[in-house]
């Protein structure tokens, strides 16, 4: 698909050998892989934005192999008007290659922003459902959704980093920025404007810096979302550990109770043996032995629970001996002064009171 300066569109099919000979390029220049790069050759700009492949000249823009890429809506409705100067581009008063570069960069950054806008509410909704302290277990379907969204977020971060690094490589090379200004070397009027006051290389640098900052902001938003996922994951593990500790503590308490009952149950075992003694003839011995068993079991269980509480409860914070001095007793205020430097101990009482 070919776009001229007025936004007129034409379609044609041509072999790559004929095309690179017509454009004065080499065969490897049109061997587009799914990479991201911006390069110049023979007063032509070759832009590779993964599946979006474009060749920019001072007179027209070529979009190559655009079929089956869902680009028709953008190409027909937005790109043509932007190249004609009717869209919301800041470079509409500059030469044609500025508008073409800005239109492609704007499309790509908006595509990345759209992916983030789609992922963000899904991730927040999933995290809100998972980070609930009342839940005793985690919904595996929610975890699966979070895992898929996390992978999509990682892919987005990688794409934004590659986009940002591609622009940064150009910003670090002043000669490449000069080469991107195609009309400066072909149009005498543009060259005269560039030497008289309008520095097109500086305008190109400002344009690239603008989209570099947008990519940086987008990457920061993605990183914040990644940090939120990591923090929420920690909260989920803390909640699960808390419920697991409660169950383990309950299990330990029941085990202690079973041990206490079993310990004093030996008395009942002793009286249950088929041996004769004078105690079984007394009708009060049964109730006495039963009471001793229950009372002893309860006392032992109570002691074990108190032992468990002393060793499992969180310890108190260590006591830090401060130098306390009360001032203004009428207002009920207490000032705590901690002296950590040796020279402070040499101050007089009046100086310390004033402080």
């Amino acid at each position: 698909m070919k776009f001229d300066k007025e936004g007129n569109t034409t379609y044609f099919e041509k072999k790559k050998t004929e095309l690179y000979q017509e454009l004065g390029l080499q065969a490897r220049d049109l061997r587009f892989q799914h990479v991201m790069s911006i390069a110049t050759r023979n007063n032509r700009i070759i832009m590779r934005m993964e599946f979006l492949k474009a060749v920019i000249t001072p007179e027209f823009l070529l979009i190559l192999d655009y079929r089956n890429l869902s680009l028709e809506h953008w190409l027909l409705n937005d790109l043509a008007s932007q190249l004609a100067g009717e869209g919301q581009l800041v470079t509409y008063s500059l030469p044609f290659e500025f508008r073409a570069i800005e239109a492609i960069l704007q499309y790509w950054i908006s595509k990345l922003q759209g992916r983030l806008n789609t992922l963000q509410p899904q991730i927040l909704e999933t995290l809100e459902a998972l980070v609930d302290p009342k839940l005793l277990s985690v919904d595996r379907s929610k975890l699966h959704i979070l895992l898929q969204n996390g992978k999509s977020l990682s892919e987005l971060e990688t794409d934004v980093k590659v986009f940002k690094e591609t622009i940064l490589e150009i910003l670090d090379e002043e000669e490449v920025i000069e080469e991107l200004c195609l009309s400066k070397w072909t149009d005498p009027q543009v060259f005269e404007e560039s030497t008289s006051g309008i520095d097109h290389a500086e305008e190109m640098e400002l344009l690239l810096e603008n989209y570099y900052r947008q990519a940086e902001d987008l990457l920061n938003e993605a990183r914040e979302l990644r940090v939120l996922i990591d923090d929420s994951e920690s909260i989920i593990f803390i909640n699960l550990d808390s419920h697991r500790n409660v169950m383990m503590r309950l299990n330990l308490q029941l085990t202690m109770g079973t041990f206490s009952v079993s310990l004093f149950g030996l008395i009942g075992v002793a009286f249950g043996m088929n041996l004769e003694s004078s105690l079984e003839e007394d009708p009060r011995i049964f109730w006495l032995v039963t009471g001793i068993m229950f009372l002893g079991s309860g006392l032992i269980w109570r002691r074990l629970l108190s032992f468990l509480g002393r060793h499992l409860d969180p310890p108190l914070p260590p006591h830090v001996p401060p130098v306390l001095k009360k001032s203004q007793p009428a207002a009920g205020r207490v000032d705590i002064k901690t002296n950590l430097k040796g020279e402070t101990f040499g101050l007089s009482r009046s100086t310390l009171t004033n402080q």
Side-chain angles (χ1 to χ4, degrees):
M1 185 178 292
K2 181 179 180 180
F3 299 87
D4 59 11
K5 295 182 178 181
E6 287 74 24
N8 299 322
T9 307
T10 56
Y11 309 86
F12 63 90
E13 293 184 2
K14 186 174 292 188
K15 294 182 179 180
K16 287 188 177 180
T17 55
E18 299 177 358
L19 184 60
Y20 71 71
Q21 290 177 0
E22 179 181 344
L23 296 175
L25 302 175
Q26 298 181 6
R28 63 174 179 270
D29 296 330
L30 300 182
R31 192 180 300 120
F32 294 116
Q33 295 86 16
H34 285 278
V35 296
M36 188 169 296
S37 64
I38 302 175
T40 59
R41 187 183 298 275
N42 293 336
N43 209 33
R44 305 285 190 267
I45 300 175
I46 306 167
M47 297 189 67
R48 302 178 179 93
M49 294 292 170
E50 292 187 359
F51 57 84
L52 178 58
K53 311 162 189 178
V55 177
I56 303 173
T57 71
E59 294 80 18
F60 57 85
L61 165 67
L62 288 179
I63 303 295
L64 307 180
D65 299 335
Y66 65 92
R67 295 178 179 177
N68 302 322
L69 295 176
S70 302
L71 293 174
E72 286 80 1
H73 178 76
W74 172 68
L75 293 174
L76 298 176
N77 298 335
D78 298 332
L79 181 58
S81 59
Q82 289 175 342
L83 294 178
E86 300 174 0
Q88 298 179 354
L89 297 180
V90 297
T91 56
Y92 68 93
S93 60
L94 294 173
F96 175 76
E97 65 270 13
F98 284 82
R99 300 196 299 271
I101 292 175
E102 183 182 4
I104 295 176
L105 294 179
Q106 186 183 84
Y107 167 76
W108 196 253
I109 201 71
S110 62
K111 186 176 182 61
L112 296 176
Q113 183 68 51
R115 290 169 58 185
L116 180 62
N117 294 338
T118 303
L119 284 175
Q120 188 171 11
Q122 297 178 359
I123 293 176
L124 294 179
E125 182 181 357
T126 306
L127 292 179
E128 185 178 359
L130 289 174
V131 186
D132 189 354
K134 298 180 181 179
L135 295 178
L136 298 180
S137 61
V138 178
D139 190 356
R140 292 189 177 183
S141 61
K142 296 292 185 181
L143 287 178
H144 181 71
I145 295 174
L146 183 61
L147 178 62
Q148 298 297 328
N149 291 334
K151 291 181 180 179
S152 300
L153 184 62
S154 300
E155 294 175 358
L156 176 61
E157 289 179 348
T158 302
D159 293 341
V160 176
K161 288 180 182 178
V162 173
F163 178 77
K164 190 182 71 169
E165 291 173 358
T166 301
I167 297 180
L168 183 60
E169 290 177 359
I170 300 176
L171 292 174
D172 292 338
E173 299 291 338
E174 296 183 359
E175 296 180 357
V176 178
I177 296 177
E178 290 282 352
E179 293 175 356
L180 291 177
C181 304
L182 304 179
S183 300
K184 180 179 179 180
W185 313 109
T186 57
D187 191 344
Q189 182 179 358
V190 175
F191 182 79
E192 183 179 355
E193 292 177 355
S194 179
T195 55
S196 61
I198 302 177
D199 191 353
H200 288 81
E202 184 177 354
E203 295 291 340
M204 180 65 71
E205 184 177 359
L206 292 175
L207 174 63
L208 295 176
E209 285 181 354
N210 178 30
Y211 285 95
Y212 177 82
R213 287 194 298 269
Q214 292 186 35
E216 183 69 24
D217 295 340
L218 189 60
L219 186 59
N220 290 334
E221 293 180 12
R223 287 173 177 169
E224 291 176 359
L225 200 57
R226 172 64 62 185
V227 171
L228 182 61
I229 292 177
D230 296 338
D231 293 342
S232 301
E233 182 180 356
S234 301
I235 294 175
I236 292 172
F237 286 142
I238 290 174
N239 291 336
L240 292 178
D241 290 340
S242 176
H243 292 300
R244 189 182 300 110
N245 292 337
V246 171
M247 299 302 297
M248 293 176 63
R249 189 185 184 107
L250 178 60
N251 185 24
L252 185 58
Q253 291 174 353
L254 294 177
T255 303
M256 290 179 175
T258 304
F259 170 76
S260 302
V261 173
S262 301
L263 182 62
F264 280 85
L266 295 176
I267 301 176
V269 173
F271 278 89
M273 293 188 298
N274 294 325
L275 298 176
E276 295 183 357
S277 64
S278 60
L279 296 178
E280 66 268 8
E281 297 178 358
D282 191 347
R284 295 174 297 179
I285 291 299
F286 172 78
W287 301 108
L288 179 62
V289 173
T290 303
I292 292 175
M293 289 172 56
F294 279 101
L295 181 60
S297 300
L299 291 176
I300 292 296
W301 192 28
R302 182 65 181 175
R303 295 287 295 177
L304 290 175
L305 290 180
S306 62
F307 175 81
L308 177 67
R310 288 196 304 269
H311 287 78
L312 292 185
D313 288 340
L316 296 176
H319 178 69
V320 179
V323 178
L324 300 179
K325 187 169 184 64
K326 297 183 179 180
S327 61
Q328 299 180 357
R333 299 175 58 187
V334 178
D335 294 335
I336 300 176
K337 301 181 180 296
T338 304
N339 297 330
L340 298 178
K341 297 183 179 180
E343 61 269 20
T344 307
F345 292 99
L347 295 177
S348 63
R349 181 179 299 274
S350 59
T351 305
L352 190 59
T353 305
N354 293 334
Q355 289 181 357

